Amino acid sequence: KYPELKVDLEKVVFKGVSAHHEIVDYADKHGDLMVMSTHVRTGLAHILIGSITEQAARHSKKRMLTIRSLS
């Protein structure tokens, strides 16, 4: 009834100054879709800490799926 679906995953570790730049650069070159989780911070925590997921979404050319974390 349902065709078998396969997803190829690869773990990659980079060292850089800004996490979202490294994520976006890699995804734009090698990926079809970015999937990232978010903590949904608000108020002062959002202003001070920010969100890597939000920054990646702003700078990427690829489609993105965000998933809210359970905690």
Side-chain angles (χ1 to χ4, degrees), residues 30-67:
H30 302 284
D32 297 320
L33 171 71
M34 286 196 317
V35 179
M36 296 181 73
S37 66
T38 180
H39 293 289
V40 191
R41 290 187 178 101
T42 59
L44 189 58
H46 180 71
I47 292 169
L48 295 176
I49 299 171
S51 169
I52 293 172
T53 302
E54 182 181 352
Q55 291 296 320
R58 287 183 184 173
H59 293 97
S60 180
K61 298 172 189 163
K62 299 292 178 173
R63 288 172 285 175
M64 183 176 213
L65 172 66
T66 58
I67 301 170

Side-chain angles (χ1 to χ4, degrees), residues 4-22:
E4 184 177 324
L5 299 175
K6 293 184 179 182
V7 177
D8 295 326
L9 299 176
E10 179 180 352
K11 291 182 184 180
V12 180
V13 178
F14 288 103
K15 184 176 181 181
V17 177
S18 176
H20 75 273
H21 283 296
E22 298 297 331

